[in-house]
Amino acid sequence: MLRSDNMKRGAGRAPQRSLLKAAGLTDEQIAKPLIGVVNSFNDIVPGHMHLDKICRAVKDGVLSSGGTPLEFNTIGVCDGIAMGHEGMRYSLCTRELIADSVECMVRAHALDALVFIPSCDKVVPGMLMAAARLNLPCIFISGGPMLSLSYDKGPLDLNSVFEAVGAHAIGQMSEKQLKQVEDDACPTCGSCSGMFTANSMNCLSEALGLALPGNGTLPAVYSARLRLAKQTGAQVMKLLEMNLTCRRILTEKALKNALTVDMALGCSTNSALHLAAIAHEAGIPFNLDMINEVSATTPNLCKLAPAGKHHMQDLHAAGGVYAVIKQLFEAGKIDGSAQTVLGVCMEEAVNPFNVKDTSVIRPIDNPYAHEGGLVVLHGNIAPGGAIVKQSAVATEMLKHNGPARVYNSEDAAEKAIFGGEIKKGDVVVIRYEGPKGGPGMREMLSPTSAIAGMGLDKDVALITDGRFSGATRGAAIGHVSPEAAAKGPIALIEEGDFIQIDIPGRSLNLCITDEEMERRSKVFVLPTKKPLTGYLKRYAMLVSSADKGAVFEESEG
């Protein structure tokens, strides 16, 4: 019996069938499995502007395999467009809105299975959270990454434009050169072309077993992306037939596999935030210490932008995510028994794939680094932990001790950076930008890119209770927990205090005595902020700390 039969079968369900017929469905279509096609199409975001075509291909796949596809939409924010102004407060918080809205649509209309079509940063994890929560047969097909084209100084991506702004600010780039970078950096539709958050999460969808091979790397403009969408639509019908539901795939071993692939690829720091939230929805134990445990034994095999010169199209041509997984499996670092949407275990799924270019995907015995891309730091600034993408940190900055330059907002810090106030050796501290304090935990690509564009990324560190774009490079340490708004120790840092960063030693410490920390804590008063309204007010009341994934706190009732 289909789940949708509860809504459509029998004489008592004539009113429901009547409404479905009003939507244009025939008796034959109503009798078939009803497959929700969850689309995040919109005209604003380049990663989503072509999803109408992806959706059409998915529907064709569902129809060819005996299902009735029913499309509905979610919202989708572009972090790049929202960056650097009030709009960035509305990015992370949409993850919860997306998960909730999908739950409401699917439960209200008794759908049998789901195909998710995400693309950008918060849409992928939001839909993964919904899939875990609903636990139906589910499969993912993203819009794919945009291409990266070459410029006189190498291939470009969105990060190139942010860094060009920094170079222009100090007179190292003319208006004409800046305009050229602006025009050429984002040449096609698709999610931005480096190993930024959207592409990180779409690659990890493959590692979790919830997407077909190629989902994370096949460029948006390739016709093969449409063929993959049709195959995805057909595959969901097989999942329904097998009753292979999401949580039979999204298990503890799948999450461990995803973390391992995350480290090998050098994914965005945001992946830690989102994997914690997905684990929460699936009821899988997760804590930040798991990141260090996996990172310690996983070699970093890829250096994609912003950590290196390669982009998603290069990873795809080199064999894609499954080629990386196969190498890791052969080295004993992947649990091959984990299930996939192909209907076979991961060991069997990756068997046909091989690395085609060892300059993009390094061999296990010749990695970029013997540890993974992400690590968690602890210390008296971040007793709950902080995240850094060590694969994108210059060797000179892996250990650093410098004076704090303290700012209570991203805007204030950005003004200081562009005003030339930051000097070599400084540690920029940006606080009150966490999940509650922001609220919304703004990404900070503008200040980190400005520092890099000014040539200071090998001399200046930045720590924050906010977060960074996947495009960020340098000694950028985010997700400091507890956040300043929760009276975390980051709120107690004073201008000129020395901060010691030891990424190999996994530590982040304020160089003052415990007695001085205690004295500051006793006299500390939270600064007054402008009253919140609307969704941000509700979000700030409900959201947890970053180390817990910035999920909504569970009520006691």
Side-chain angles (χ1 to χ4, degrees):
M1 181 175 173
L2 295 169
R3 185 175 180 277
S4 61
D5 287 343
N6 294 316
M7 175 270 294
K8 68 188 184 185
R9 283 187 66 180
R13 294 294 184 241
Q16 285 83 355
R17 292 193 297 274
S18 180
L19 288 167
L20 291 173
K21 290 176 179 179
L25 298 186
T26 64
D27 285 322
E28 291 76 16
Q29 287 177 306
I30 293 170
K32 293 176 180 178
L34 302 183
I35 310 300
V37 182
V38 191
N39 192 0
S40 55
F41 166 81
N42 63 61
D43 284 332
I44 303 171
V45 184
H48 298 246
M49 60 181 282
H50 62 304
L51 296 188
D52 55 340
K53 296 179 178 61
I54 299 291
C55 187
R56 179 65 267 166
V58 167
K59 290 178 181 178
D60 288 345
V62 172
L63 289 166
S64 70
S65 297
T68 297
L70 297 173
E71 177 187 356
F72 65 91
N73 287 77
T74 71
I75 60 173
V77 166
C78 175
D79 280 27
I81 297 173
M83 195 82 63
H85 60 93
E86 185 66 15
M88 182 42 70
R89 301 194 191 283
Y90 289 88
S91 173
L92 180 61
C93 66
T94 63
R95 190 186 67 181
E96 271 55 39
L97 280 176
I98 289 164
D100 290 349
S101 65
V102 173
E103 176 193 356
C104 292
M105 286 294 290
V106 172
R107 292 297 188 213
H109 301 111
L111 301 178
D112 294 305
L114 300 167
V115 179
F116 289 92
I117 310 177
S119 191
C120 290
D121 294 15
K122 308 311 164 297
V123 188
V124 192
M127 288 186 178
L128 283 165
M129 290 165 67
R133 187 184 302 176
L134 292 162
N135 197 28
L136 297 173
C138 295
I139 191 168
F140 282 69
I141 171 68
S142 75
M146 68 171 63
L147 293 178
S148 172
L149 301 182
S150 290
Y151 185 54
D152 59 356
K153 292 184 180 179
L156 295 174
D157 52 55
L158 178 66
N159 195 36
S160 306
V161 194
F162 279 96
E163 293 191 5
V165 171
H168 175 263
I170 59 172
Q172 291 186 358
M173 182 174 284
S174 67
E175 287 275 0
K176 183 178 179 181
Q177 290 172 315
L178 177 59
K179 177 65 160 56
Q180 190 68 55
V181 175
E182 173 189 327
D183 289 346
D184 294 345
C186 299
T188 71
C189 63
S191 48
C192 297
S193 56
M195 188 55 80
F196 310 147
T197 305
N199 292 326
S200 294
M201 295 308 301
N202 282 320
C203 287
L204 295 185
S205 296
E206 291 186 53
L208 287 167
L210 289 169
L212 296 179
N215 175 68
T217 59
L218 184 58
V221 294
Y222 286 12
S223 295
R225 171 67 56 179
L226 295 175
R227 298 197 296 273
L228 186 65
K230 291 176 182 177
Q231 292 162 2
T232 300
Q235 190 65 25
V236 77
M237 297 303 297
K238 295 179 182 178
L239 296 177
L240 179 61
E241 183 180 352
M242 294 185 287
N243 193 32
L244 189 51
T245 56
C246 181
R247 282 192 229 164
R248 289 178 59 194
I249 297 171
L250 183 55
T251 61
E252 191 167 352
K253 66 178 72 171
L255 187 73
K256 177 81 176 293
N257 284 347
L259 268 176
T260 302
V261 174
D262 188 330
M263 301 306 157
L265 290 175
C267 290
S268 164
T269 53
N270 284 312
S271 63
L273 195 71
H274 300 320
L275 286 174
I278 294 161
H280 174 78
E281 290 289 351
I284 299 171
F286 185 92
N287 61 68
L288 290 185
D289 290 336
M290 293 169 61
I291 293 174
N292 280 347
E293 291 168 10
V294 173
S295 184
T297 60
T298 306
N300 179 213
L301 303 180
C302 301
K303 271 194 180 292
L304 282 81
K309 64 180 181 179
H310 298 128
H311 289 80
M312 299 307 295
Q313 66 213 46
D314 303 310
L315 178 58
H316 184 71
V321 176
Y322 266 37
V324 175
I325 297 174
K326 185 177 182 181
Q327 278 208 143
L328 294 168
F329 170 72
E330 290 175 343
K333 299 181 184 301
I334 288 287
D335 190 330
S337 68
Q339 185 59 264
T340 73
V341 288
L342 286 165
V344 298
C345 67
M346 186 63 77
E347 178 181 2
E348 186 175 342
V350 301
N351 186 56
F353 293 83
N354 293 293
V355 175
K356 301 174 184 177
D357 187 344
T358 56
S359 71
V360 179
I361 305 172
R362 288 277 190 93
I364 286 283
D365 59 0
N366 184 31
Y368 283 103
H370 292 285
E371 292 185 327
L374 300 184
V375 293
V376 177
L377 310 182
H378 289 280
N380 64 5
I381 293 177
I387 300 284
V388 64
K389 187 173 183 175
Q390 69 172 352
S391 58
V393 179
T395 303
E396 302 93 315
M397 292 299 293
L398 290 173
K399 290 186 177 183
H400 182 73
N401 193 357
R405 305 301 309 280
V406 183
Y407 303 95
N408 285 349
S409 70
E410 177 191 4
D411 308 280
E414 192 171 336
K415 183 179 178 181
I417 293 166
F418 282 111
E421 297 177 20
I422 305 304
K423 309 300 180 186
K424 289 185 177 182
D426 286 347
V427 179
V428 178
V429 177
I430 304 177
R431 59 194 182 190
Y432 298 105
E433 292 287 7
K436 288 182 182 294
M441 205 179 183
R442 290 196 285 182
E443 279 189 351
M444 299 181 195
L445 183 55
S446 293
T448 58
S449 296
I451 287 170
M454 292 173 176
L456 294 172
D457 56 301
K458 294 181 180 180
D459 301 286
V460 172
L462 194 155
I463 70 171
T464 181
D465 53 7
R467 60 194 178 92
F468 297 111
S469 165
T472 290
R473 63 185 175 96
I477 300 166
H479 304 198
V480 171
S481 300
E483 63 178 291
K487 300 183 178 181
I490 191 174
L492 307 179
I493 300 172
E494 295 180 358
E495 185 78 11
D497 283 345
F498 268 73
I499 293 175
Q500 187 174 63
I501 299 166
D502 183 356
I503 294 173
R506 308 293 188 257
S507 67
L508 177 64
N509 285 293
L510 182 60
C511 298
I512 62 173
T513 64
D514 292 344
E515 291 76 15
E516 175 60 14
M517 185 77 87
E518 180 68 19
R519 184 195 68 78
R520 292 183 188 184
S521 178
K522 287 180 178 178
V523 299
F524 173 75
V525 178
L526 280 171
T528 302
K529 296 192 71 172
K530 181 181 177 181
L532 297 170
T533 59
Y535 180 56
L536 287 183
K537 181 178 181 179
R538 297 196 299 277
Y539 182 81
M541 291 171 60
L542 295 170
V543 71
S544 72
S545 61
D547 59 310
K548 296 178 181 177
V551 297
F552 284 168
E553 298 276 16
E554 300 289 342
S555 64
E556 296 296 326

